[in-house]
PDB file of all heavy atoms in Angstrom:
ATOM      1  N   ARG A   1    -125.649  13.083 153.794  1.00 98.00           N
ATOM      2  CA  ARG A   1    -125.073  12.277 152.684  1.00 98.00           C
ATOM      3  C   ARG A   1    -124.230  13.157 151.731  1.00 98.00           C
ATOM      4  O   ARG A   1    -123.230  12.607 151.095  1.00 98.00           O
ATOM      5  CB  ARG A   1    -126.294  11.790 151.758  1.00 98.00           C
ATOM      6  CG  ARG A   1    -127.307  10.859 152.545  1.00 98.00           C
ATOM      7  CD  ARG A   1    -128.256  10.186 151.536  1.00 98.00           C
ATOM      8  NE  ARG A   1    -129.097  11.192 150.842  1.00 98.00           N
ATOM      9  CZ  ARG A   1    -129.103  11.364 149.549  1.00 98.00           C
ATOM     10  NH1 ARG A   1    -128.313  10.679 148.769  1.00 98.00           N
ATOM     11  NH2 ARG A   1    -129.909  12.301 149.049  1.00 98.00           N
ATOM     12  N   PHE A   2    -124.425  14.450 151.625  1.00 98.00           N
ATOM     13  CA  PHE A   2    -123.630  15.264 150.789  1.00 98.00           C
ATOM     14  C   PHE A   2    -122.857  16.208 151.715  1.00 98.00           C
ATOM     15  O   PHE A   2    -123.260  16.632 152.825  1.00 98.00           O
ATOM     16  CB  PHE A   2    -124.543  16.179 149.836  1.00 98.00           C
ATOM     17  CG  PHE A   2    -125.263  15.472 148.772  1.00 98.00           C
ATOM     18  CD1 PHE A   2    -125.253  14.011 148.740  1.00 98.00           C
ATOM     19  CD2 PHE A   2    -125.904  16.170 147.870  1.00 98.00           C
ATOM     20  CE1 PHE A   2    -125.986  13.439 147.773  1.00 98.00           C
ATOM     21  CE2 PHE A   2    -126.613  15.574 146.809  1.00 98.00           C
ATOM     22  CZ  PHE A   2    -126.625  14.224 146.708  1.00 98.00           C
ATOM     23  N   THR A   3    -121.690  16.510 151.278  1.00 98.00           N
ATOM     24  CA  THR A   3    -120.748  17.472 151.966  1.00 98.00           C
ATOM     25  C   THR A   3    -120.195  18.523 150.955  1.00 98.00           C
ATOM     26  O   THR A   3    -119.576  18.071 149.949  1.00 98.00           O
ATOM     27  CB  THR A   3    -119.632  16.694 152.680  1.00 98.00           C
ATOM     28  OG1 THR A   3    -120.118  15.764 153.509  1.00 98.00           O
ATOM     29  CG2 THR A   3    -118.816  17.713 153.460  1.00 98.00           C
ATOM     30  N   ILE A   4    -120.438  19.781 151.263  1.00 98.00           N
ATOM     31  CA  ILE A   4    -119.844  20.879 150.469  1.00 98.00           C
ATOM     32  C   ILE A   4    -118.536  21.347 151.091  1.00 98.00           C
ATOM     33  O   ILE A   4    -118.455  21.424 152.343  1.00 98.00           O
ATOM     34  CB  ILE A   4    -120.895  21.976 150.209  1.00 98.00           C
ATOM     35  CG1 ILE A   4    -120.422  22.859 149.216  1.00 98.00           C
ATOM     36  CG2 ILE A   4    -121.210  22.675 151.559  1.00 98.00           C
ATOM     37  CD1 ILE A   4    -121.504  23.863 148.683  1.00 98.00           C
ATOM     38  N   SER A   5    -117.613  21.615 150.315  1.00 96.00           N
ATOM     39  CA  SER A   5    -116.314  22.200 150.762  1.00 96.00           C
ATOM     40  C   SER A   5    -115.769  23.112 149.660  1.00 96.00           C
ATOM     41  O   SER A   5    -116.315  23.153 148.556  1.00 96.00           O
ATOM     42  CB  SER A   5    -115.381  21.021 151.040  1.00 96.00           C
ATOM     43  OG  SER A   5    -115.075  20.278 149.837  1.00 96.00           O
ATOM     44  N   GLN A   6    -114.698  23.731 149.985  1.00 95.00           N
ATOM     45  CA  GLN A   6    -114.011  24.756 149.081  1.00 95.00           C
ATOM     46  C   GLN A   6    -112.532  24.679 149.146  1.00 95.00           C
ATOM     47  O   GLN A   6    -112.024  24.570 150.265  1.00 95.00           O
ATOM     48  CB  GLN A   6    -114.672  26.076 149.187  1.00 95.00           C
ATOM     49  CG  GLN A   6    -114.468  26.778 150.512  1.00 95.00           C
ATOM     50  CD  GLN A   6    -115.263  28.049 150.693  1.00 95.00           C
ATOM     51  OE1 GLN A   6    -115.815  28.549 149.776  1.00 95.00           O
ATOM     52  NE2 GLN A   6    -115.290  28.524 151.917  1.00 95.00           N
ATOM     53  N   ASP A   7    -111.894  25.014 148.116  1.00 91.00           N
ATOM     54  CA  ASP A   7    -110.491  25.217 148.010  1.00 91.00           C
ATOM     55  C   ASP A   7    -110.334  26.662 147.504  1.00 91.00           C
ATOM     56  O   ASP A   7    -110.404  26.944 146.297  1.00 91.00           O
ATOM     57  CB  ASP A   7    -109.726  24.194 147.166  1.00 91.00           C
ATOM     58  CG  ASP A   7    -108.255  24.402 147.174  1.00 91.00           C
ATOM     59  OD1 ASP A   7    -107.828  25.524 147.558  1.00 91.00           O
ATOM     60  OD2 ASP A   7    -107.620  23.463 146.742  1.00 91.00           O
ATOM     61  N   ASN A   8    -110.236  27.586 148.435  1.00 82.00           N
ATOM     62  CA  ASN A   8    -110.186  29.019 147.988  1.00 82.00           C
ATOM     63  C   ASN A   8    -109.048  29.359 147.133  1.00 82.00           C
ATOM     64  O   ASN A   8    -109.065  30.155 146.200  1.00 82.00           O
ATOM     65  CB  ASN A   8    -110.165  29.943 149.205  1.00 82.00           C
ATOM     66  CG  ASN A   8    -111.508  29.968 149.935  1.00 82.00           C
ATOM     67  OD1 ASN A   8    -112.510  29.858 149.267  1.00 82.00           O
ATOM     68  ND2 ASN A   8    -111.450  30.127 151.278  1.00 82.00           N
ATOM     69  N   ALA A   9    -107.875  28.628 147.321  1.00 84.00           N
ATOM     70  CA  ALA A   9    -106.695  28.883 146.521  1.00 84.00           C
ATOM     71  C   ALA A   9    -106.916  28.502 145.064  1.00 84.00           C
ATOM     72  O   ALA A   9    -106.243  29.059 144.160  1.00 84.00           O
ATOM     73  CB  ALA A   9    -105.469  28.110 147.060  1.00 84.00           C
ATOM     74  N   LYS A  10    -107.852  27.617 144.861  1.00 83.00           N
ATOM     75  CA  LYS A  10    -108.118  27.160 143.523  1.00 83.00           C
ATOM     76  C   LYS A  10    -109.420  27.555 143.063  1.00 83.00           C
ATOM     77  O   LYS A  10    -109.852  27.191 141.912  1.00 83.00           O
ATOM     78  CB  LYS A  10    -108.095  25.614 143.400  1.00 83.00           C
ATOM     79  CG  LYS A  10    -106.710  24.939 143.723  1.00 83.00           C
ATOM     80  CD  LYS A  10    -106.760  23.446 143.606  1.00 83.00           C
ATOM     81  CE  LYS A  10    -105.345  22.879 143.861  1.00 83.00           C
ATOM     82  NZ  LYS A  10    -104.374  23.337 142.826  1.00 83.00           N
ATOM     83  N   ASN A  11    -110.171  28.443 143.787  1.00 88.00           N
ATOM     84  CA  ASN A  11    -111.448  29.034 143.479  1.00 88.00           C
ATOM     85  C   ASN A  11    -112.412  27.899 143.011  1.00 88.00           C
ATOM     86  O   ASN A  11    -113.068  27.989 141.989  1.00 88.00           O
ATOM     87  CB  ASN A  11    -111.298  30.110 142.337  1.00 88.00           C
ATOM     88  CG  ASN A  11    -110.576  31.293 142.824  1.00 88.00           C
ATOM     89  OD1 ASN A  11    -110.683  31.746 143.850  1.00 88.00           O
ATOM     90  ND2 ASN A  11    -109.674  31.771 141.888  1.00 88.00           N
ATOM     91  N   THR A  12    -112.384  26.855 143.803  1.00 94.00           N
ATOM     92  CA  THR A  12    -113.186  25.789 143.467  1.00 94.00           C
ATOM     93  C   THR A  12    -114.019  25.245 144.685  1.00 94.00           C
ATOM     94  O   THR A  12    -113.531  25.208 145.789  1.00 94.00           O
ATOM     95  CB  THR A  12    -112.292  24.475 143.013  1.00 94.00           C
ATOM     96  OG1 THR A  12    -111.440  24.918 141.925  1.00 94.00           O
ATOM     97  CG2 THR A  12    -113.014  23.280 142.697  1.00 94.00           C
ATOM     98  N   VAL A  13    -115.243  24.868 144.385  1.00 96.00           N
ATOM     99  CA  VAL A  13    -116.104  24.369 145.333  1.00 96.00           C
ATOM    100  C   VAL A  13    -116.453  22.930 145.029  1.00 96.00           C
ATOM    101  O   VAL A  13    -116.582  22.617 143.888  1.00 96.00           O
ATOM    102  CB  VAL A  13    -117.407  25.171 145.473  1.00 96.00           C
ATOM    103  CG1 VAL A  13    -118.492  24.481 146.384  1.00 96.00           C
ATOM    104  CG2 VAL A  13    -117.155  26.567 146.040  1.00 96.00           C
ATOM    105  N   PHE A  14    -116.501  22.095 145.979  1.00 97.00           N
ATOM    106  CA  PHE A  14    -116.768  20.563 145.775  1.00 97.00           C
ATOM    107  C   PHE A  14    -118.090  20.268 146.391  1.00 97.00           C
ATOM    108  O   PHE A  14    -118.480  20.834 147.375  1.00 97.00           O
ATOM    109  CB  PHE A  14    -115.620  19.843 146.305  1.00 97.00           C
ATOM    110  CG  PHE A  14    -114.318  20.175 145.828  1.00 97.00           C
ATOM    111  CD1 PHE A  14    -113.451  21.053 146.582  1.00 97.00           C
ATOM    112  CD2 PHE A  14    -113.810  19.627 144.686  1.00 97.00           C
ATOM    113  CE1 PHE A  14    -112.147  21.378 146.067  1.00 97.00           C
ATOM    114  CE2 PHE A  14    -112.588  20.066 144.158  1.00 97.00           C
ATOM    115  CZ  PHE A  14    -111.752  20.919 144.908  1.00 97.00           C
ATOM    116  N   LEU A  15    -118.664  19.131 145.862  1.00 98.00           N
ATOM    117  CA  LEU A  15    -119.805  18.573 146.498  1.00 98.00           C
ATOM    118  C   LEU A  15    -119.541  17.069 146.535  1.00 98.00           C
ATOM    119  O   LEU A  15    -119.632  16.422 145.461  1.00 98.00           O
ATOM    120  CB  LEU A  15    -121.080  18.972 145.711  1.00 98.00           C
ATOM    121  CG  LEU A  15    -122.365  18.403 146.341  1.00 98.00           C
ATOM    122  CD1 LEU A  15    -122.667  19.127 147.676  1.00 98.00           C
ATOM    123  CD2 LEU A  15    -123.566  18.543 145.377  1.00 98.00           C
ATOM    124  N   GLN A  16    -119.232  16.587 147.700  1.00 98.00           N
ATOM    125  CA  GLN A  16    -119.072  15.183 147.914  1.00 98.00           C
ATOM    126  C   GLN A  16    -120.488  14.513 148.094  1.00 98.00           C
ATOM    127  O   GLN A  16    -121.168  14.856 149.030  1.00 98.00           O
ATOM    128  CB  GLN A  16    -118.150  14.945 149.003  1.00 98.00           C
ATOM    129  CG  GLN A  16    -118.027  13.379 149.322  1.00 98.00           C
ATOM    130  CD  GLN A  16    -117.170  12.682 148.192  1.00 98.00           C
ATOM    131  OE1 GLN A  16    -116.255  13.251 147.690  1.00 98.00           O
ATOM    132  NE2 GLN A  16    -117.530  11.454 147.966  1.00 98.00           N
ATOM    133  N   MET A  17    -120.845  13.514 147.268  1.00 98.00           N
ATOM    134  CA  MET A  17    -122.213  12.986 147.333  1.00 98.00           C
ATOM    135  C   MET A  17    -121.994  11.525 147.652  1.00 98.00           C
ATOM    136  O   MET A  17    -121.361  10.804 146.811  1.00 98.00           O
ATOM    137  CB  MET A  17    -122.983  13.212 146.023  1.00 98.00           C
ATOM    138  CG  MET A  17    -122.996  14.657 145.555  1.00 98.00           C
ATOM    139  SD  MET A  17    -124.050  14.875 144.136  1.00 98.00           S
ATOM    140  CE  MET A  17    -123.112  13.876 142.888  1.00 98.00           C
ATOM    141  N   ASP A  18    -122.437  11.081 148.794  1.00 98.00           N
ATOM    142  CA  ASP A  18    -122.382   9.680 149.160  1.00 98.00           C
ATOM    143  C   ASP A  18    -123.811   9.109 149.396  1.00 98.00           C
ATOM    144  O   ASP A  18    -124.746   9.892 149.446  1.00 98.00           O
ATOM    145  CB  ASP A  18    -121.636   9.658 150.472  1.00 98.00           C
ATOM    146  CG  ASP A  18    -120.146  10.037 150.467  1.00 98.00           C
ATOM    147  OD1 ASP A  18    -119.535   9.797 149.435  1.00 98.00           O
ATOM    148  OD2 ASP A  18    -119.746  10.734 151.398  1.00 98.00           O
ATOM    149  N   SER A  19    -123.861   7.800 149.379  1.00 98.00           N
ATOM    150  CA  SER A  19    -125.135   7.131 149.579  1.00 98.00           C
ATOM    151  C   SER A  19    -126.092   7.594 148.571  1.00 98.00           C
ATOM    152  O   SER A  19    -127.312   7.882 148.871  1.00 98.00           O
ATOM    153  CB  SER A  19    -125.598   7.282 151.035  1.00 98.00           C
ATOM    154  OG  SER A  19    -124.670   6.746 151.951  1.00 98.00           O
ATOM    155  N   LEU A  20    -125.705   7.657 147.290  1.00 98.00           N
ATOM    156  CA  LEU A  20    -126.622   8.180 146.245  1.00 98.00           C
ATOM    157  C   LEU A  20    -127.787   7.269 146.091  1.00 98.00           C
ATOM    158  O   LEU A  20    -127.664   6.065 146.115  1.00 98.00           O
ATOM    159  CB  LEU A  20    -125.797   8.414 144.989  1.00 98.00           C
ATOM    160  CG  LEU A  20    -124.946   9.568 145.002  1.00 98.00           C
ATOM    161  CD1 LEU A  20    -123.877   9.493 143.896  1.00 98.00           C
ATOM    162  CD2 LEU A  20    -125.717  10.910 144.964  1.00 98.00           C
ATOM    163  N   THR A  21    -128.912   7.923 145.709  1.00 97.00           N
ATOM    164  CA  THR A  21    -130.135   7.096 145.457  1.00 97.00           C
ATOM    165  C   THR A  21    -130.625   7.521 144.028  1.00 97.00           C
ATOM    166  O   THR A  21    -130.169   8.674 143.531  1.00 97.00           O
ATOM    167  CB  THR A  21    -131.266   7.331 146.421  1.00 97.00           C
ATOM    168  OG1 THR A  21    -131.788   8.659 146.308  1.00 97.00           O
ATOM    169  CG2 THR A  21    -130.655   7.189 147.890  1.00 97.00           C
ATOM    170  N   PRO A  22    -131.549   6.783 143.445  1.00 97.00           N
ATOM    171  CA  PRO A  22    -132.133   7.194 142.196  1.00 97.00           C
ATOM    172  C   PRO A  22    -132.679   8.593 142.150  1.00 97.00           C
ATOM    173  O   PRO A  22    -132.799   9.267 141.188  1.00 97.00           O
ATOM    174  CB  PRO A  22    -133.072   6.147 141.785  1.00 97.00           C
ATOM    175  CG  PRO A  22    -132.492   4.899 142.446  1.00 97.00           C
ATOM    176  CD  PRO A  22    -131.919   5.387 143.755  1.00 97.00           C
ATOM    177  N   GLU A  23    -133.248   8.994 143.397  1.00 97.00           N
ATOM    178  CA  GLU A  23    -133.955  10.325 143.473  1.00 97.00           C
ATOM    179  C   GLU A  23    -132.883  11.377 143.316  1.00 97.00           C
ATOM    180  O   GLU A  23    -133.214  12.621 143.257  1.00 97.00           O
ATOM    181  CB  GLU A  23    -134.564  10.299 144.776  1.00 97.00           C
ATOM    182  CG  GLU A  23    -135.881   9.538 144.931  1.00 97.00           C
ATOM    183  CD  GLU A  23    -135.556   8.045 144.968  1.00 97.00           C
ATOM    184  OE1 GLU A  23    -134.589   7.581 145.671  1.00 97.00           O
ATOM    185  OE2 GLU A  23    -136.323   7.351 144.334  1.00 97.00           O
ATOM    186  N   ASP A  24    -131.566  11.123 143.465  1.00 98.00           N
ATOM    187  CA  ASP A  24    -130.566  12.130 143.253  1.00 98.00           C
ATOM    188  C   ASP A  24    -130.165  12.378 141.859  1.00 98.00           C
ATOM    189  O   ASP A  24    -129.436  13.218 141.453  1.00 98.00           O
ATOM    190  CB  ASP A  24    -129.278  11.798 144.029  1.00 98.00           C
ATOM    191  CG  ASP A  24    -129.499  11.630 145.542  1.00 98.00           C
ATOM    192  OD1 ASP A  24    -130.085  12.668 146.067  1.00 98.00           O
ATOM    193  OD2 ASP A  24    -129.025  10.694 146.122  1.00 98.00           O
ATOM    194  N   THR A  25    -130.808  11.560 140.943  1.00 98.00           N
ATOM    195  CA  THR A  25    -130.521  11.728 139.497  1.00 98.00           C
ATOM    196  C   THR A  25    -131.009  13.103 139.043  1.00 98.00           C
ATOM    197  O   THR A  25    -132.125  13.453 139.243  1.00 98.00           O
ATOM    198  CB  THR A  25    -131.252  10.694 138.737  1.00 98.00           C
ATOM    199  OG1 THR A  25    -130.611   9.317 139.063  1.00 98.00           O
ATOM    200  CG2 THR A  25    -131.112  10.845 137.176  1.00 98.00           C
ATOM    201  N   ALA A  26    -130.112  13.813 138.407  1.00 98.00           N
ATOM    202  CA  ALA A  26    -130.460  15.252 138.022  1.00 98.00           C
ATOM    203  C   ALA A  26    -129.228  15.842 137.316  1.00 98.00           C
ATOM    204  O   ALA A  26    -128.173  15.234 137.298  1.00 98.00           O
ATOM    205  CB  ALA A  26    -130.901  16.095 139.194  1.00 98.00           C
TER     206      ALA A  26
END
C-alpha cells in the first residue's frame, strides 16, 4: 500500500500512501 522513494537532488524522501485505512491514522 505504501511506497517510499527519494529525490537525491532535492534531498527529499517521499512516502506514497495508498488504500489508506483508519488504522493508518497517526
Side-chain angles (χ1 to χ4, degrees):
R1 300 187 299 118
F2 291 11
T3 303
I4 191 169
S5 62
Q6 62 190 351
D7 183 343
N8 288 326
K10 297 184 180 296
N11 295 318
T12 302
V13 173
F14 305 97
L15 185 68
Q16 178 68 40
M17 307 187 297
D18 298 319
S19 301
L20 287 163
T21 75
E23 289 70 41
D24 296 314
T25 295

